Amino acid sequence: MAAAVFQGNTLIGIGVTGVRKLGDPIKATISDQWHLGSDTKAMTATLIGLYVDRKQLHFEDTLGALFAGETIDAGYRDVTLLQLLQHRGGAPGDVPADIWSQMWADGSAPGARLKAVRAMLARPPAQAPGTYVYANAGYMMAGAALERVAGATWEQLIQSELFAPLQMEGCGFGAPGSPNAVDQPWGHATSGNSLIPMQPGPSADNPPSLGPAGTVHCPLASWGKFLGQQLAGARGEESLVTAATMQRLQTPPAGGDYAAGWIVTTRSWANGAALNHVGSNTFWWADAWLAPSRNLALVVVSNAASPSTGPAVDAAFGPLIAKFAP
C-alpha cells in the first residue's frame, strides 16, 4: 500500500509499505508505478475538455453527429458526450459478453476500440438514456469519439496533451513493469482467501480497448500533477482547461452526484465540497479524494483488490486526514 498528499501541485507527504509481489522480498518504493483503474476517467474527461475549449468538440454533441456514417441504433443517436461522461448515456453497465470476448481477441490491434464501440452502438441502449448506470462502455464511446475528431488514438492524445505538458513521468498503460521481473509492483488476483500475483502483460489488465475507462498507471508523484490541475480548476484557478469547462466537468446533473470522472459530495474535514473516485481492474486499487477549499489531494493505492482492500484503504485515509487536514 502507498499513500500521498498534495497541496495544490506540491507533494507534501508520501509513504509506502509492503512488497511488490507476494512471496518476493523486494519492497515497494515511493517512486513505483500504480495502476489507477477507473481514476483514468477524469483524465479522459479532461482530454475531452481540452477539445471543447478548442471548439473541436461540444458537450452537447450527439452520438449521431459524432459517429456520422456509422450504423447507430435510434436510441443512441441523441445521447450527448456529456451524458456519456456522467454515465447517463444508456451504455451497458457490463460490456456484452460477445463484444468483450472480441476485445480480448483483438488486444492492442489498431481499431479495436472503434470496432467494439461500433458493435455496441448498433444495438439498443441497455437502459433509457438519462438513467444513471456506471458504464466503462460509455467512456469507451467518448474516447472513440475523441479519436475521430483528433485523428489520433486516445493513448497518443493522453501522452501528448496530459503526460507531456504536466511532466507526468513514468505514466503509461496497462500493468506496470516487465514480464519475468519484479521491477514494479505486480497486481494480485483474489482466489478465495488467497492472493495470486499477476505477471505484467496483457492478462494482468483489462483489454487495451477499454483504455479511456481505466488503463493508466502512474507513480504517485506524477498522478499528483494531474490532481493538482483538478484542484486548481475546482478552485476557479488556472488549469489545463478553462474555468467554464472545468465547472461543467466537475458538476453532476440535477439529482445525481457523478460528474465527469468524479463523485461530488461533501465532507467536514474538506470544509465542504469534496471530489472522490475509486479505480480498480480487480488486481489493483486506487482511491483519490480532493478537498478544493483546503487545496488538498489525498490518495491511497494498493496492488491488490481483495474484499479487505477497500476497508483497509478507507482506514488509511483517517491518519492522513488527521495529519494534513485537522
Side-chain angles (χ1 to χ4, degrees):
M1 181 181 286
V5 180
F6 305 90
Q7 186 93 54
N9 287 313
T10 304
L11 176 66
I12 59 174
I14 191 167
V16 64
T17 185
V19 294
R20 288 174 169 172
K21 174 190 173 187
L22 188 66
D24 192 290
I26 299 176
K27 293 185 178 299
T29 74
I30 58 173
S31 59
D32 278 350
Q33 299 164 340
W34 303 85
H35 194 283
L36 304 183
S38 287
D39 288 340
T40 300
K41 288 182 170 69
M43 297 181 181
T44 297
T46 301
L47 267 183
I48 288 172
L50 286 167
Y51 278 77
V52 168
D53 284 342
R54 295 168 189 168
K55 313 257 188 259
Q56 293 178 262
L57 280 172
H58 307 84
F59 288 124
E60 293 74 28
D61 285 344
T62 65
L63 288 175
L66 291 166
F67 291 95
E70 301 284 355
T71 300
I72 303 175
D73 184 87
Y76 274 124
R77 287 179 192 154
D78 293 331
V79 168
T80 67
L81 194 53
L82 188 60
Q83 283 180 307
L84 293 177
L85 298 179
Q86 296 174 341
H87 297 300
R88 292 172 179 266
D94 294 310
V95 175
D98 61 319
I99 299 174
W100 187 249
S101 296
Q102 189 64 53
M103 288 165 61
W104 275 114
D106 290 340
S108 57
R113 181 172 300 124
L114 180 57
K115 181 179 179 180
V117 167
R118 279 174 170 156
M120 287 187 282
L121 290 179
R123 304 178 185 184
Q127 60 280 327
T131 306
Y132 175 83
V133 172
Y134 189 92
N136 289 325
Y139 270 75
M140 289 176 60
M141 294 172 184
L146 173 64
E147 290 175 330
R148 283 170 64 95
V149 167
T153 67
W154 170 83
E155 288 84 356
Q156 291 168 336
L157 293 169
I158 204 167
Q159 289 180 85
S160 63
E161 302 279 11
L162 292 185
F163 296 169
L166 295 179
Q167 298 182 316
M168 295 171 63
E169 298 176 357
C171 294
F173 310 99
S178 310
N180 303 310
V182 191
D183 52 354
Q184 292 292 338
W186 287 27
H188 290 77
T190 303
S191 177
N193 294 321
S194 301
L195 291 175
I196 303 169
M198 298 295 294
Q199 178 172 250
S203 63
D205 195 16
N206 287 306
S209 47
L210 193 78
T215 64
V216 166
H217 67 249
C218 279
L220 294 189
S222 292
W223 188 20
K225 293 176 181 178
F226 171 75
L227 297 177
Q229 290 291 309
Q230 299 293 293
L231 273 175
R235 290 165 59 84
E237 299 168 359
E238 181 179 353
S239 69
L240 278 173
V241 299
T242 62
T245 293
M246 187 65 85
Q247 185 176 31
R248 292 290 299 278
L249 291 173
Q250 294 183 345
T251 302
D257 63 1
Y258 197 100
W262 293 108
I263 293 171
V264 181
T265 184
T266 59
R267 287 293 184 273
S268 58
W269 63 265
N271 286 343
L275 281 65
N276 171 246
H277 210 285
V278 175
S280 176
N281 69 348
T282 75
F283 307 141
W284 300 73
W285 194 277
D287 196 346
W289 279 94
L290 305 186
S293 72
R294 287 180 175 264
N295 201 24
L296 281 176
L298 295 77
V299 300
V300 179
V301 295
S302 172
N303 60 336
S306 72
S308 63
T309 302
V313 167
D314 287 345
F317 280 105
L320 296 178
I321 291 168
K323 181 175 177 62
F324 294 98

